[in-house]
């Protein structure tokens, strides 16, 4: 193991640090360590290193002590220090300055350094302008930086400008001055702002920029906060549109420590409005014409600001004519002249008028639009009962739906005219008091009903087209707009018609006979059965009481059956005349198309009614025939379609009479067809 030796003298040889360390490394490297004694070897090495370090430190201290002792004992150190008469001053280039020059330089340097303190306002000079900062020299050993956003007009900042700044801190962590332009401005104008606030006066400010909740107002170079609710009497939709505008404000809150100033423009406007309101209420009179500003537009009218007091211009007082919404005549913020119609001193309510500033258009209306005059107007509105036509501004007339056509059945005015159409009409009546004019367009043409009798005299047979079917009859169009009614009772002499569709269909061309003309109600009664002679006088002879015939069932009802007697004649058999037994439902015993023997028990010529009976027929026959009739129907409750059983029970004389009647009917039909062929 290598150990450093102490020579004990200054001039003796001592090993270098590199050699000492090298020796230590060599000695540690040569140490042999076995696995069995690893803990003991480690302890020995640590102890040996500590001993070597202590020996080195001891030797160094000894050398330093010896050197210090040798210097103090030398003759030069024992001599007294001589007095220095002058000091040579040189700069970095080696130039030597004498004392006078040096003192002058010191005085000049001291004059450039001001005695400044933190928290004061000092005068500075702009010596540089960057994109973000302004470099200002305040006469200190270093310059200060002021952020560019502290200047209201950044474009006007230039090198050489003299400005006042507030010294916040002489030296920050970077060794620079901390200056503030805004705080300096605030300190300078604070006293004036406080005086204005205490006196309750107003001051002028310029809206600089928008921030959250309001805008920033520049007052004498100091930023003040103007809340959005205090900008105007009404809500402002766009704050950005106010930037750059100069306004009068009132200071409502001050806090010097936080440099917080809150101002209000609303207070100024309210005070001004109250002054104008008091002046206006003293001057206002009914009938005056005053100028106002449209403040608000509603569905029922417009609120006008007359200068501190609002008046209502109702929609009915805006125009003599028809308007759908007040926005058709005025715009928000527009200046308009209005007339004072009414003023209530108790409630300060003012009613205004706009149409009253123009002449009343209904004056002398009777002379302007006399009855019978032909006019031209524009359709401005359509309702279910008619159309309103504007004759001039403020004058409208009504064309009632009944005055639109002589003959057409108009369901709605929109079928023949639309809004905006120009129409010609005739003045029918004028009501100045109620401001109403009745017009008609059908009067532009002759009334066809005045000559209807000449064209369609009573008893004349005319042709027409079935236009419509109803439960009570059919409407037949004789010409364009002229309809006549064929009542259901005038469709057949002998048949009982349940619905007109049994005789005619919509669109069919038919011949009808004019029965009656009603001028007052403009109606024409037509007949279809009247085209042929009334057969009932002859039928009265053919179907006399107790006469017998054969009928074919056409309808089965609860109260009886309807039978076809031939020649279009129908008869009715009540339920109690069908069988001798009580019948609850005839449909279970009889069916349509079945032929049954009958006897006439009632004939009503006036009512065109023939009542028949099966029971009366068999009363004149043998009992066996009636029993067979009853038995056949009991065995066949579904009723046969041919009526063979009933036909076999009929006497030969009745069969022959029925056959002769059918042959005669067939020959008449063939004769009519031959005549039609010849006529063609």
């Amino acid at each position: 193991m290598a150990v450093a030796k102490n020579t004990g003298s200054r001039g003796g040889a001592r090993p270098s640090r590199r050699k000492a360390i090298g020796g230590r490394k060599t000695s540690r490297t040569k140490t042999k360590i076995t696995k069995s004694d690893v803990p003991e070897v480690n302890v020995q090495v640590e102890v040996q290193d500590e001993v070597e370090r202590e020996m080195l430190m001891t030797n160094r201290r000894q050398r330093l002590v010896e050197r210090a002792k040798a210097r103090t004992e030398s003759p030069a150190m024992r001599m007294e220090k001589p007095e220095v008469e002058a000091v040579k001053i040189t700069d970095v280039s080696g130039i030597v300055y004498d004392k006078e020059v040096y003192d002058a330089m010191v005085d000049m340097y001291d004059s450039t350094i001001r005695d400044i303190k933190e928290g004061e306002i000092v005068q500075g000079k702009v010596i540089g302008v960057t994109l973000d900062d302004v470099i200002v020299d305040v006469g200190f050993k270093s310059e200060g930086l002021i952020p560019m956003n502290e200047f209201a007009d950044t474009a006007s900042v230039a090198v050489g400008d003299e400005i006042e700044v507030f010294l916040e801190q002489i030296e920050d962590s970077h060794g620079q001055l901390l200056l503030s332009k805004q705080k300096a401005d605030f300190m300078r104008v604070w006293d004036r702002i406080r005086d204005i606030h205490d006196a309750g006066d107003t001051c002028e400010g310029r809206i600089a920029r928008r921030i959250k909740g309001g805008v920033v107002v520049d007052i004498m170079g100091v930023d003040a906060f103007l809340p959005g609710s205090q900008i105007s009497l009404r809500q402002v939709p766009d704050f950005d549109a106010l930037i750059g505008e100069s306004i009068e404000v009132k200071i409502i809150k001050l806090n010097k420590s936080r440099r917080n100033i809150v101002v209000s423009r609303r207070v100024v406007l309210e005070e001004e409005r109250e002054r104008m309101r008091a002046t206006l209420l003293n001057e206002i009179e009914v009938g005056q014409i005053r100028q106002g500003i449209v403040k608000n537009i509603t569905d029922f009218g417009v609120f006008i600001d007359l200068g501190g007091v609002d008046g209502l211009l109702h929609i009915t007082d805006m125009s003599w004519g028809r308007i759908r919404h007040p926005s058709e005549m005025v715009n928000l913020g527009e200046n308009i002249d209005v007339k004072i119609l009414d003023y209530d001193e108790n409630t300060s309510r003012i009613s205004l008028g706009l149409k009253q500033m123009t002449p009343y258009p209904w004056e002398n209306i009777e002379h302007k639009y006399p009855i019978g005059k032909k006019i031209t107007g524009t359709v401005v509105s359509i309702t279910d009962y008619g159309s309103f036509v504007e004759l001039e501004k403020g004058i409208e007339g009504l064309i009632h739906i009944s005055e639109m056509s002589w003959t057409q059945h108009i369901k709605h005015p929109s079928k023949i005219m639309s809004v905006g159409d120009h129409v010609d009409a005739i003045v029918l009546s004028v009501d100045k008091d109620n401001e109403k004019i009745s017009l008609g367009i059908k009067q532009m043409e002759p009334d066809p009903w005045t000559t209807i009798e000449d064209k369609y005299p009573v008893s004349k047979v005319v042709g027409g087209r079935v236009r419509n079917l109803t439960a009570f009859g059919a409407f037949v169009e004789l010409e364009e707009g002229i309809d006549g009614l064929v009542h259901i009772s005038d469709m057949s002499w002998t048949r009982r018609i349940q619905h007109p569709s049994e005789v005619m269909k919509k669109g069919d061309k038919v011949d009808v006979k004019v029965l009656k003309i009603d001028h007052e109600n403009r109606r024409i009664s037509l007949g279809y059965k009247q085209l042929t002679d009334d057969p009932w006088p002859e039928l009265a002879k053919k179907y006399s009481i107790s006469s017998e015939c054969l009928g074919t069932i056409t309808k089965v009802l609860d109260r009886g059956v309807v039978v076809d007697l031939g020649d279009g004649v129908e008869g009715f058999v009540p339920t109690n005349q069908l069988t001798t037994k009580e019948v609850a439902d005839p449909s279970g015993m009889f069916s349509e198309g079945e032929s049954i023997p009958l006897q006439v028990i009632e004939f009503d010529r006036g009512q065109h009614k023939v009542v028949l009976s099966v029971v009366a027929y068999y009363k004149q026959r043998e009992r066996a025939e009636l029993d067979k009739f009853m038995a056949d129907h009991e065995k066949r409750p579904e009723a046969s379609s041919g009526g063979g059983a009933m036909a076999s029970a009929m006497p030969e004389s009745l069969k022959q009479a029925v056959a002769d009647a059918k042959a005669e009917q067939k020959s008449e039909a063939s004769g009519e067809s031959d005549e039609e062929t010849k006529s063609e």
Side-chain angles (χ1 to χ4, degrees), residues 490-522:
D490 292 318
M491 289 187 173
S492 176
W493 289 110
T494 56
R495 293 176 57 190
R496 290 189 176 274
I497 308 300
Q498 300 297 323
H499 194 272
S501 59
E502 299 177 12
V503 179
M504 54 187 67
K505 305 295 182 184
K506 187 176 180 179
D508 289 350
K509 292 182 179 180
V510 295
D511 291 334
V512 291
K513 193 172 187 178
V514 179
L515 303 180
K516 182 182 177 183
I517 295 178
D518 185 355
H519 284 280
E520 185 177 354
N521 296 314
R522 296 179 179 268

Side-chain angles (χ1 to χ4, degrees), residues 520-532:
E520 185 177 354
N521 296 314
R522 296 179 179 268
R523 293 176 181 174
I524 300 178
S525 297
L526 304 174
Y528 182 70
K529 70 181 182 180
Q530 286 78 4
L531 295 174
T532 60

Side-chain angles (χ1 to χ4, degrees), residues 1-4 19-33 41 44-45 48-49 52:
M1 180 180 296
V3 179
K19 289 183 179 182
I21 295 173
R24 288 199 303 272
K25 289 182 178 179
T26 303
S27 62
R28 285 198 302 270
T29 303
K30 291 180 180 181
T31 302
K32 294 182 179 180
I33 301 173
V41 173
Q44 293 177 1
V45 172
Q48 185 175 356
D49 291 342
E52 290 180 358

Side-chain angles (χ1 to χ4, degrees), residues 434-546:
N434 295 315
E435 297 184 355
K436 293 181 180 180
I437 296 179
S438 297
L439 305 174
I441 58 175
K442 71 181 183 181
Q443 288 77 8
M444 300 290 295
E445 299 176 354
D447 184 2
W449 286 92
T450 56
T451 59
I452 196 70
E453 288 183 343
D454 299 334
K455 200 168 188 179
Y456 302 104
V458 177
S459 300
K460 182 180 179 181
V461 177
V462 295
R465 182 180 61 86
V466 179
R467 187 178 63 83
N468 192 21
L469 297 176
T470 64
F472 55 85
F475 286 95
V476 178
E477 186 179 48
L478 305 181
E479 64 177 59
E480 181 68 27
I482 302 295
D483 292 347
L485 174 64
V486 180
H487 196 269
I488 192 171
S489 62
D490 292 318
M491 289 187 173
S492 176
W493 289 110
T494 56
R495 293 176 57 190
R496 290 189 176 274
I497 308 300
Q498 300 297 323
H499 194 272
S501 59
E502 299 177 12
V503 179
M504 54 187 67
K505 305 295 182 184
K506 187 176 180 179
D508 289 350
K509 292 182 179 180
V510 295
D511 291 334
V512 291
K513 193 172 187 178
V514 179
L515 303 180
K516 182 182 177 183
I517 295 178
D518 185 355
H519 284 280
E520 185 177 354
N521 296 314
R522 296 179 179 268
R523 293 176 181 174
I524 300 178
S525 297
L526 304 174
Y528 182 70
K529 70 181 182 180
Q530 286 78 4
L531 295 174
T532 60
D533 295 333
D534 186 1
W536 285 96
E538 295 296 329
L539 294 176
K541 298 176 183 180
K542 185 177 181 179
Y543 298 102
S544 59
I545 302 298
S546 299

Side-chain angles (χ1 to χ4, degrees), residues 65-79:
V65 171
E66 291 176 357
R67 291 178 183 176
K69 185 177 179 181
R71 285 197 300 272
T72 56
E73 292 178 355
S74 63
M77 295 296 294
R78 289 195 298 268
M79 295 176 62

Side-chain angles (χ1 to χ4, degrees), residues 28-280:
R28 285 198 302 270
T29 303
K30 291 180 180 181
T31 302
K32 294 182 179 180
I33 301 173
T34 61
K35 184 179 293 186
S36 60
D37 54 1
V38 168
E40 296 179 0
V41 173
N42 290 338
V43 173
Q44 293 177 1
V45 172
E46 292 177 359
V47 172
Q48 185 175 356
D49 291 342
E50 185 65 26
V51 172
E52 290 180 358
R53 283 195 296 272
E54 291 179 357
M55 293 179 65
L56 289 174
M57 293 297 295
T58 302
N59 293 337
R60 183 180 179 185
R61 290 193 184 96
Q62 290 178 357
R63 289 196 300 271
L64 292 175
V65 171
E66 291 176 357
R67 291 178 183 176
K69 185 177 179 181
R71 285 197 300 272
T72 56
E73 292 178 355
S74 63
M77 295 296 294
R78 289 195 298 268
M79 295 176 62
E80 295 182 359
K81 296 181 180 179
E83 184 177 353
V84 179
E85 296 181 355
V87 178
K88 293 183 179 181
I89 302 172
T90 63
D91 59 6
V92 294
S93 60
I95 300 176
V96 179
Y97 297 96
D98 57 12
K99 188 175 183 305
E100 294 180 357
V101 175
Y102 176 76
D103 292 341
M105 293 175 63
V106 171
D107 293 340
M108 182 178 65
Y109 178 74
D110 289 341
S111 64
T112 60
I113 299 177
R114 299 179 184 175
D115 186 12
I116 59 178
K117 298 180 181 179
E118 295 181 355
E120 293 183 350
I121 297 176
V122 297
Q123 191 75 18
K125 184 177 182 181
V126 178
I127 61 174
V129 179
T130 65
L131 185 63
D132 300 325
D133 303 307
V134 177
I135 305 173
V136 181
D137 179 18
V138 295
F140 198 61
K141 63 181 180 179
S142 62
E143 295 82 11
L145 297 178
I146 300 177
M148 183 63 75
N149 57 15
E150 291 195 15
F151 292 84
D153 188 5
T154 58
S156 63
V157 181
V159 176
D161 292 348
E162 297 285 341
I163 60 174
E164 289 185 341
V165 295
F166 180 78
L167 179 59
E168 295 188 65
Q169 190 174 347
I170 292 179
E171 189 172 337
D172 62 0
S173 59
H174 300 287
Q176 289 184 335
L177 286 172
L178 288 182
L179 306 176
S180 174
K181 176 71 168 56
Q182 289 183 346
K183 290 184 179 180
D185 295 339
F186 180 80
M187 297 293 292
R188 286 298 184 192
V189 302
W190 172 255
D191 293 337
R192 293 179 57 191
I193 292 175
R194 184 181 57 192
D195 293 341
I196 292 173
H197 174 262
D198 295 341
D201 297 334
T202 62
C203 59
E204 185 176 356
R206 183 181 62 84
I207 298 178
R209 62 186 182 276
R210 176 180 178 178
I211 60 175
K212 183 179 180 180
V215 295
V216 174
V217 180
D218 182 5
I219 302 177
M220 294 178 286
V222 177
D223 289 345
F225 176 59
L226 175 58
S229 60
Q230 299 296 319
I231 295 178
S232 179
L233 296 174
R234 298 183 297 273
Q235 185 177 0
V236 179
D238 185 13
F239 291 171
D240 294 332
L242 303 175
I243 295 177
E245 182 179 346
S246 296
I247 57 174
E248 286 287 329
V249 295
K250 196 168 189 178
I251 302 171
I252 59 176
K253 183 178 180 181
L254 288 177
N255 190 331
K256 184 177 180 181
S257 60
R258 300 178 60 181
R259 294 189 300 113
N260 186 17
I261 303 174
V262 181
V263 297
S264 171
R265 181 173 176 245
R266 183 186 183 117
V267 175
V268 177
L269 297 177
E270 288 177 347
E271 293 176 353
E272 182 180 359
R273 184 176 64 177
E274 287 299 323
R275 291 193 298 269
M276 296 175 63
R277 177 186 177 88
T279 303
L280 178 64

